[in-house]
Amino acid sequence: MEAGEPFQYSKFLGLSTENRMKALNDHLAERSYIGGFTFSQADVEVFRSLPKPPLDQYFHVIRWYRHIAAIWDCTQDDAKTCELHTSEAKRTQPPWAPPPEVKQPELRLYNSLTRRKEIFRPQNGKRVLWYCCGPTVYDASHMGHARSYISFDILRRILMNYFNYDVFYCMNITDVDDKIIKRARQNHLFEQYKEKNLSPIQLLQDISEALKSFSVKFAETTDPDKKQMLQKVNQAVESSLKSLEEAMQQALSNGEITKRAKLLLDDSKDMLSDWLDVQFGSQVTDNSIFSTLPKYWEGEYHKDMDALNVLPADVLTRVSEYVPEIVQFVKQVVDNGYGYVSNGSVYFDTVKFDSSEKHSYAKLVPEAVGDQKALHEGEGDLSISADRLSEKHSPNDFALWKASKPGEPSWDSPWGKGRPGWHIECSAMAGSILGESMDIHGGGFDLRFPHHDNELAQSEAYFENDHWVRYFLHTGHLTIAGCKMSKSLKNFITIKDALNANTGRQLRLAFLMHSWKDTLDYSSNTMESAVQYEKFLNEFFLNVKDVLRSPTDITGQYERWQEQELTLNNRFYEKKTAVHKALCDNIDTRTVMEELRSLVSQCNTYTAAKKSNKQLPNRMLLRSIALYLTEMLKIFGAIEGEELIGFPVGRGSQNLNVENTIMPYLKVLSGFRENVRQIAREKKVSEVLQLCDDVRDDILPELGVRFEDHEGLSTVVKFVDRETLLKEREEKKKIEEEKKRKKEEAAQKKREQEGFPTHDAEGKELSKGQTKKLRKLYEVQEERYNEYLRNSSTN
């Protein structure tokens, strides 16, 4: 094959088939069709002389073989009549058709407005306007807050980082509210009371009076959970009261009486604060008292959210900073005919609104209309007095603006001194930032009625539309070991307390393992499942890192795939498809976490099979899977930092990656230890082997390092949390002690069955060595006795 003329192949035809192949391959190595080389009928003859298609190892021969076969008329059996295809039609590209279209799943979200999953379609393409109801900051944030804000953080991250939406997230802080006003007043009055350092006698008198008022409140309470809580408070106060009375009657020391008086004061704080507020609350006039409390607890809330790795809002609004906008909003609702003024307060006219053709009241929970208990809770403790309730046209109406009473903060308005109602704040602030319509509004399940239904009504009354919110998302309840969680019932766990027991990542994993819209039970079982899931993932990441650290050149990183790799890769893509389908189905992270667990299990099975055959797993395949898992966990907010694979390890204040820095030295130590162990085995020096084991079992765990020895393979080096390693060591020690105990019991039982004594004359248990000597002695005696019998029989 020469450019422009055929090549003479006679010298090749005389060679054997194998030699002919090698010679042809060398000759054709530099012959390129693109470079102008072509073939003749003689070339076809040579290739027809081949008894079969060339093997893959003869790359250049097979290249030309396929080229000739593509144009040569192979239907001719006679070599002399073979013709080359030279017509124009044969040299044109064939028609192309795309593959059949496969319908992809669309993102659907459970919309409380329709009570079903709806296809998610934002109003402005990829831009998403999202408003979330924030906390009322009068006390420590608890796990109920975590339930909502971690769940919404997960949804927000997935919309942004998986589905690539441009999310604009607005959240409010309620710093003006009946609960805040009441708590601030009570704290202020209680601290003033403590500063008086009243005598024990006066303290007994005051608490006795407070108990009388408390008893009336207890008798009027019908809610069984609340009644049980009040009963516990009452019992604690009465017990401390009795203890102080006894100390005074017995004339105990002043120190003991003072100690018991302090205990009584602490136990009766809630009861005494409520009693003081009823008497003196209206005399509190310093408005700074009502701002100091929410400012402090807002700061604590932000610290908690940071510890939980919850992204900050793009915009944070506070009621106290939006009073002018709230006043204007209320005025517009009144001007539109859906509000009325009564005794200095402004109320929303639910009857007028609901009778309008273009409006409907209580879109979320229409069956709750008329639920006076829920409505009263929505109005607040300071707003359900008889005079306030009588101001309404209808019991279902709710306050937009409340005339301030003595002992309450106030702002100027067209209707006199007052303060915002609870529901109006979200409407005014969200409307100021997001406009007449938003894509998503989020909140806890218990906010649906009356809070969110009232928000919807007053906002659509203000904007005169019927689409203030397109998708309402409500997170499920949180229970504590199966019981209802409530701050008012004093049955709650603060976020700080929860973080003392588990890490923020473990809490997030627990939430990911449950549906965001269903009830989640916070219990030891729930958290143990999350801890084990984290450990399961971490072990996989550590194993992959170890595989990737195996020394090889750049070309050696790409190993040949066999059936095992193809199978695992197919499973990998099946799991990715399943994960995508689950995320599209109302962001079903519970199913996603199960699919990821299954993928890791399949990787572990593959790796174990490789190791059992003394083979290394395919590093690039495991790397791809580990990268995918890491990226998904980053999307969920379960991994922070820039690590390519796995959870962060040992980040200090300098943002130093300890694992990357220390690992080269540990690999040197590991290699040296392997060589020492090998020599010790060959020389049978057990003391050296024991020292190597001590390094692995006792010294390195204290430094957060695990060495895993595998017969025939290199030692695996892993960075693991120190506390985890120490716990593992203790558990291993207990297992070994238990095995030793069972072994000794079995040996003793065997000795007893064989008739050997297990204790000496003084009742002390015989050691293993003593038993061995005794057994030998018995055997000698038995042999002598048998010999005696044989001799006697002979004689």
Side-chain angles (χ1 to χ4, degrees):
M1 293 183 183
E2 298 287 352
E5 62 176 283
F7 184 81
Q8 299 300 318
Y9 285 100
S10 57
K11 64 178 180 180
F12 293 107
L13 296 177
L15 299 175
S16 66
T17 301
E18 184 176 354
N19 290 335
R20 187 186 312 165
M21 286 289 192
K22 291 180 180 178
L24 275 172
N25 197 66
D26 292 341
H27 174 69
L28 297 173
E30 299 180 359
R31 267 55 178 176
S32 169
Y33 179 78
I34 297 174
F37 290 88
T38 184
F39 58 89
S40 67
Q41 186 67 37
D43 302 322
V44 175
E45 296 286 346
V46 173
F47 277 88
R48 276 183 63 86
S49 71
L50 300 178
K52 56 183 178 180
L55 299 175
D56 289 349
Q57 68 192 82
Y58 303 115
F59 174 75
H60 299 290
V61 177
I62 198 170
R63 174 168 61 92
W64 277 98
Y65 183 91
R66 289 172 177 166
H67 178 56
I68 292 173
I71 344 180
W72 168 37
D73 187 355
C74 299
T75 62
Q76 300 294 333
D77 293 329
D78 188 355
K80 295 180 181 179
T81 60
C82 285
E83 295 181 358
L84 299 178
H85 300 303
T86 56
S87 65
E88 291 291 333
K90 279 290 184 181
R91 303 307 300 153
T92 59
Q93 286 185 318
W96 177 87
E101 184 179 359
V102 178
K103 188 175 181 181
Q104 297 297 316
E106 294 184 89
L107 173 60
R108 293 175 182 268
L109 297 177
Y110 184 86
N111 189 357
S112 297
L113 285 166
T114 61
R115 302 191 186 184
R116 63 172 181 259
K117 298 172 188 176
E118 304 285 1
I119 294 175
F120 182 60
R121 292 202 180 102
Q123 300 170 108
N124 300 297
K126 299 295 285 186
R127 190 184 184 202
V128 175
L129 300 179
W130 187 335
Y131 180 81
C132 180
C133 276
T136 300
V137 282
Y138 69 99
D139 205 338
S141 300
H142 51 71
M143 285 302 294
H145 294 118
R147 171 56 170 148
S148 286
Y149 300 126
I150 292 179
S151 295
F152 283 135
D153 185 68
I154 291 169
L155 298 188
R156 179 185 175 191
R157 287 172 181 269
I158 291 172
L159 286 183
M160 290 192 305
N161 302 323
Y162 186 85
F163 290 105
N164 298 316
Y165 285 106
D166 181 8
V167 177
F168 184 66
Y169 194 83
C170 177
M171 190 184 79
N172 76 298
I173 293 288
T174 298
D175 60 351
V176 178
D177 177 81
D178 284 32
K179 292 186 181 72
I180 294 172
I181 295 168
K182 189 173 181 179
R183 178 64 61 85
R185 277 196 326 226
Q186 289 181 346
N187 287 351
H188 173 69
L189 292 170
F190 184 75
E191 290 302 318
Q192 281 188 329
Y193 185 85
K194 283 177 63 177
E195 289 173 2
K196 293 179 180 180
N197 290 320
L198 297 175
S199 66
I201 295 176
Q202 184 63 50
L203 181 63
L204 286 173
Q205 291 176 352
D206 289 346
I207 292 179
S208 297
E209 287 298 315
L211 268 170
K212 293 178 183 178
S213 300
F214 185 84
S215 298
V216 175
K217 180 180 179 181
F218 180 79
E220 294 174 348
T221 301
T222 57
D223 183 280
D225 292 328
K226 192 169 185 179
K227 204 171 187 72
Q228 185 179 20
M229 182 272 293
L230 293 175
Q231 188 173 16
K232 289 180 180 179
V233 172
N234 187 69
Q235 289 173 347
V237 173
E238 287 185 341
S239 175
S240 296
L241 187 71
K242 183 179 179 181
S243 175
L244 179 58
E245 287 176 337
E246 289 176 351
M248 295 175 67
Q249 290 170 0
Q250 297 170 11
L252 298 181
S253 66
N254 290 336
E256 182 62 26
I257 292 175
T258 302
K259 178 182 175 182
R260 296 191 186 191
K262 183 179 183 303
L263 181 63
L264 173 60
L265 193 61
D266 291 340
D267 286 342
S268 60
K269 178 181 178 181
D270 291 340
M271 182 186 296
L272 194 59
S273 296
D274 200 43
W275 179 70
L276 292 169
D277 189 51
V278 171
Q279 294 185 89
F280 309 111
S282 62
Q283 299 175 17
V284 176
T285 57
D286 185 358
N287 270 2
S288 66
I289 292 170
F290 303 111
S291 60
T292 302
L293 178 76
K295 185 176 181 180
Y296 171 79
W297 286 117
E298 182 191 335
E300 293 301 298
Y301 163 80
H302 291 309
K303 291 176 185 176
D304 289 340
M305 293 301 104
D306 186 58
L308 294 173
N309 194 31
V310 172
L311 294 173
D314 295 311
V315 176
L316 190 74
T317 61
R318 299 180 184 86
V319 180
S320 60
E321 298 172 348
Y322 276 77
V323 173
E325 287 83 357
I326 292 172
V327 169
Q328 189 277 329
F329 197 99
V330 173
K331 186 175 183 301
Q332 186 63 53
V333 171
V334 174
D335 291 345
N336 288 349
Y338 300 109
Y340 58 90
V341 181
S342 179
N343 199 25
S345 296
V346 183
Y347 293 94
F348 187 82
D349 193 331
T350 54
V351 176
K352 181 73 176 295
F353 179 80
D354 198 47
S355 63
S356 171
E357 291 183 3
K358 56 185 176 182
H359 296 306
S360 179
Y361 178 62
K363 288 182 176 182
L364 288 165
V365 196
E367 63 270 24
V369 174
D371 183 343
Q372 293 304 304
K373 180 182 177 183
L375 289 168
H376 289 171
E377 287 179 356
E379 290 295 84
D381 289 347
L382 303 178
S383 307
I384 55 172
S385 57
D387 58 328
R388 277 277 167 90
L389 295 176
S390 65
E391 295 172 356
K392 301 180 181 182
H393 292 177
S394 165
N396 296 328
D397 295 349
F398 54 90
L400 300 173
W401 182 263
K402 301 176 180 180
S404 290
K405 295 180 178 179
E408 298 178 359
S410 62
W411 288 263
D412 291 327
S413 79
W415 317 285
K417 291 280 189 179
R419 57 190 177 89
W422 176 35
H423 316 297
I424 196 66
E425 63 181 70
C426 289
S427 293
M429 292 187 291
S432 298
I433 301 297
L434 304 180
E436 67 171 357
S437 184
M438 68 186 75
D439 297 295
I440 296 176
H441 191 316
F445 184 83
D446 56 336
L447 294 179
R448 295 179 308 151
F449 185 88
H451 186 50
H452 286 159
D453 264 326
N454 289 353
E455 278 187 41
L456 277 169
Q458 63 199 12
S459 298
E460 293 179 356
Y462 175 87
F463 290 110
E464 284 288 11
N465 65 21
D466 63 351
H467 53 266
W468 186 58
V469 175
R470 300 291 186 173
Y471 299 84
F472 242 120
L473 309 184
H474 290 100
T475 55
H477 283 303
L478 182 128
T479 57
I480 298 179
C483 300
K484 177 183 177 183
M485 198 210 76
S486 170
K487 185 172 284 188
S488 63
L489 298 178
K490 301 188 181 301
N491 174 39
F492 67 95
I493 295 175
T494 67
I495 291 174
K496 284 184 173 58
D497 288 340
L499 287 171
N500 286 333
N502 295 100
T503 66
R505 180 191 300 138
Q506 290 164 353
L507 289 171
R508 185 172 290 255
L509 288 174
F511 285 37
L512 284 163
M513 293 165 70
H514 293 77
S515 169
W516 61 269
K517 64 173 286 295
D518 296 335
T519 297
L520 185 149
D521 186 50
Y522 176 74
S523 64
S524 57
N525 289 338
T526 300
M527 294 315 304
E528 180 60 25
S529 296
V531 169
Q532 291 304 317
Y533 192 98
E534 179 189 43
K535 185 176 180 181
F536 177 71
L537 288 177
N538 194 42
E539 283 301 312
F540 169 72
F541 288 135
L542 292 173
N543 286 328
V544 173
K545 287 179 180 179
D546 181 72
V547 170
L548 295 179
R549 281 193 293 267
S550 301
T552 182
D553 56 24
I554 190 167
T555 57
Q557 295 179 10
Y558 298 92
E559 301 110 327
R560 185 179 185 276
W561 282 32
Q562 298 181 6
E563 187 63 31
Q564 288 174 301
E565 283 74 30
L566 292 171
T567 299
L568 179 58
N569 192 57
N570 288 337
R571 298 293 86 78
F572 177 29
Y573 278 88
E574 287 173 4
K575 293 303 177 185
K576 285 205 286 189
T577 300
V579 165
H580 180 69
K581 183 178 179 182
L583 290 177
C584 287
D585 183 16
N586 195 39
I587 308 186
D588 180 9
T589 58
R590 179 177 181 175
T591 297
V592 168
M593 300 302 278
E594 286 304 313
E595 295 292 352
L596 297 184
R597 184 200 299 271
S598 175
L599 176 59
V600 172
S601 295
Q602 290 168 359
C603 289
N604 290 342
T605 301
Y606 161 78
T607 303
K610 283 287 187 179
K611 287 189 174 182
S612 67
N613 294 326
K614 303 296 187 291
Q615 297 174 333
L616 284 175
N618 187 289
R619 57 194 298 140
M620 298 309 290
L621 177 55
L622 287 181
R623 181 178 184 272
S624 296
I625 295 173
L627 285 173
Y628 169 75
L629 289 167
T630 304
E631 183 58 29
M632 292 306 300
L633 291 170
K634 284 183 178 179
I635 288 172
F636 298 157
I639 290 182
E640 302 174 68
E642 301 301 320
E643 278 75 16
L644 286 176
I645 292 176
F647 301 120
V649 178
R651 287 203 176 279
S653 59
Q654 302 284 325
N655 201 33
L656 173 70
N657 191 314
V658 175
E659 184 176 19
N660 289 345
T661 304
I662 303 300
M663 187 55 71
Y665 303 97
L666 290 176
K667 293 297 287 184
V668 171
L669 173 62
S670 170
F672 175 76
R673 177 175 168 275
E674 286 182 28
N675 292 334
V676 170
R677 291 176 72 217
Q678 181 62 32
I679 295 171
R681 285 197 195 94
E682 293 172 356
K683 302 293 184 180
K684 297 183 179 180
V685 186
S686 59
E687 293 85 358
V688 174
L689 285 173
Q690 185 59 51
L691 287 173
C692 291
D693 288 347
D694 291 344
V695 169
R696 178 194 63 199
D697 299 334
D698 299 328
I699 299 174
L700 291 177
E702 294 285 350
L703 303 174
V705 177
R706 183 198 291 155
F707 274 12
E708 296 178 359
D709 295 325
H710 297 278
E711 190 65 34
L713 296 172
S714 298
T715 297
V716 175
V717 182
K718 296 179 179 178
F719 261 102
V720 185
D721 179 68
R722 176 178 177 272
E723 284 69 27
T724 300
L725 290 179
L726 297 183
K727 185 178 179 182
E728 288 178 358
R729 188 171 67 183
E730 289 303 312
E731 290 175 352
K732 182 180 178 181
K733 186 177 179 181
K734 288 179 182 178
I735 292 172
E736 289 175 350
E737 289 176 350
E738 181 66 15
K739 285 182 179 179
K740 183 179 179 181
R741 184 185 64 78
K742 288 183 177 179
K743 186 177 180 180
E744 290 176 350
E745 286 179 354
Q748 181 177 344
K749 187 175 181 180
K750 183 178 180 181
R751 293 198 302 269
E752 292 172 349
Q753 291 174 345
E754 292 176 347
F756 289 104
T758 58
H759 295 76
D760 60 18
E762 297 177 356
K764 186 178 180 182
E765 185 178 359
L766 297 176
S767 68
K768 187 177 180 181
Q770 290 172 325
T771 303
K772 188 176 181 180
K773 289 180 181 179
L774 187 61
R775 185 187 296 274
K776 185 67 176 177
L777 179 62
Y778 274 25
E779 289 174 354
V780 171
Q781 290 178 340
E782 185 177 11
E783 178 59 30
R784 288 177 178 174
Y785 180 68
N786 289 336
E787 184 178 358
Y788 167 76
L789 291 177
R790 286 194 298 271
N791 292 336
S792 299
S793 174
T794 303
N795 294 331

